[in-house]
Amino acid sequence: MNEKVKDILEWIYCIIIAVVLALLFRYFIGTPTIVKQPSMYPTLKEDQRLWLNRWGRTTKKMPKKGDIITFRQNDRIISHRIFGITKDKEEVKFITKGDNNEVYDKDFVSMQDIYGKVLVSIPKLGKFVRYIQNTRGFINIFIFVIIVFVLVSLNDNKKNDRKMKRKKYEIKKLRDNYNV
């Protein structure tokens, strides 16, 4: 098989493996989200990428006091810390507050509004994610990947050319030694 075709197939294979691993991670381990407000500063900063442990799918444990959870409230997605747990008509509700806020959140959070508990946070990754979600950013990253691929291929071609020249030189040297 041609070396270029083999290299392209290896790239495609790596991309497929990365996509499958990302989907498995998202489905079985966590859900990604981005911090959009400064209410959890300094624990969580704006534009941090968060991975959430989804309640019900990956864990049956009940959220506890001190956990940082991400939840929906008034059509907003918020990540705050649990400061208290109460029961309202036999339903468990959570009292939350951002670490940077002076007062508790006005509304209690019910279990069905919780997306999950924060597992991992990666600083500034949110800016990059928003950049590539933008059409212009995606095109720029796509072009960058193509340029890197072309440069790597050109470098491999130069190495192959040097190897071929070296082999030809060695064969010529062996012939010259044999003919003497």
Side-chain angles (χ1 to χ4, degrees), residues 84-106:
I85 301 172
T86 185
K87 271 194 172 182
D88 180 31
K89 298 178 187 172
E90 298 301 318
E91 183 184 5
V92 175
K93 299 265 185 166
F94 300 94
I95 302 165
T96 57
K97 176 175 123 17
D99 290 355
N100 197 27
N101 294 348
E102 296 291 324
V103 296
Y104 296 114
D105 295 338
K106 179 176 70 172

Side-chain angles (χ1 to χ4, degrees), residues 63-175:
K64 61 185 183 300
K65 188 176 177 181
D67 286 346
I68 298 173
I69 58 171
T70 298
F71 55 93
R72 176 176 292 285
Q73 195 173 67
N74 301 327
D75 295 328
R76 290 178 40 213
I77 296 174
I78 302 169
S79 295
H80 280 175
R81 188 178 305 278
I82 296 175
F83 276 86
I85 301 172
T86 185
K87 271 194 172 182
D88 180 31
K89 298 178 187 172
E90 298 301 318
E91 183 184 5
V92 175
K93 299 265 185 166
F94 300 94
I95 302 165
T96 57
K97 176 175 123 17
D99 290 355
N100 197 27
N101 294 348
E102 296 291 324
V103 296
Y104 296 114
D105 295 338
K106 179 176 70 172
D107 299 320
F108 292 156
V109 178
S110 55
M111 213 38 203
Q112 65 262 19
D113 293 330
I114 298 176
Y115 288 112
K117 174 184 172 183
V118 174
L119 282 177
V120 177
S121 63
I122 305 170
K124 300 189 183 194
L125 186 59
K127 281 184 181 180
F128 177 74
V129 170
R130 277 202 301 270
Y131 178 73
I132 63 173
Q133 286 175 341
N134 177 336
T135 304
R136 185 176 183 186
F138 179 78
I139 291 170
N140 288 341
I141 296 297
F142 185 75
I143 290 170
F144 175 75
V145 168
I146 289 173
I147 289 171
V148 168
F149 181 74
V150 167
L151 291 175
V152 167
S153 295
L154 289 174
N155 189 33
D156 287 346
N157 287 343
K158 285 182 182 180
K159 285 180 183 179
N160 288 338
D161 287 345
R162 284 193 296 256
K163 284 181 184 177
M164 290 302 289
K165 285 180 183 179
R166 180 71 182 167
K167 283 183 181 180
K168 285 179 182 178
Y169 173 76
E170 289 174 359
I171 290 171
K172 183 179 182 288
K173 193 174 178 181
L174 285 172
R175 277 190 197 145

Side-chain angles (χ1 to χ4, degrees), residues 57-68:
R57 184 174 289 178
T58 56
T59 184
K60 299 288 184 204
K61 294 183 201 172
M62 192 71 156
K64 61 185 183 300
K65 188 176 177 181
D67 286 346
I68 298 173

Side-chain angles (χ1 to χ4, degrees), residues 24-33 35 43-44 48-55 58-59 61 64 66-70 79 115-122:
L24 286 173
F25 184 82
R26 179 175 180 157
Y27 185 78
F28 289 108
I29 297 178
T31 302
T33 190
V35 177
T43 308
L44 300 175
Q48 271 188 290
R49 183 77 168 176
L50 304 176
W51 287 96
L52 309 174
N53 186 359
R54 295 166 65 168
W55 300 115
T58 56
T59 184
K61 294 183 201 172
K64 61 185 183 300
D67 286 346
I68 298 173
I69 58 171
T70 298
S79 295
Y115 288 112
K117 174 184 172 183
V118 174
L119 282 177
V120 177
S121 63
I122 305 170

Side-chain angles (χ1 to χ4, degrees), residues 1-14 149 153 156:
M1 189 181 309
N2 187 348
E3 285 294 318
K4 286 185 181 183
V5 173
K6 189 175 178 182
D7 288 344
I8 291 171
L9 289 175
E10 285 178 8
W11 274 79
I12 292 171
Y13 178 72
C14 289
F149 181 74
S153 295
D156 287 346

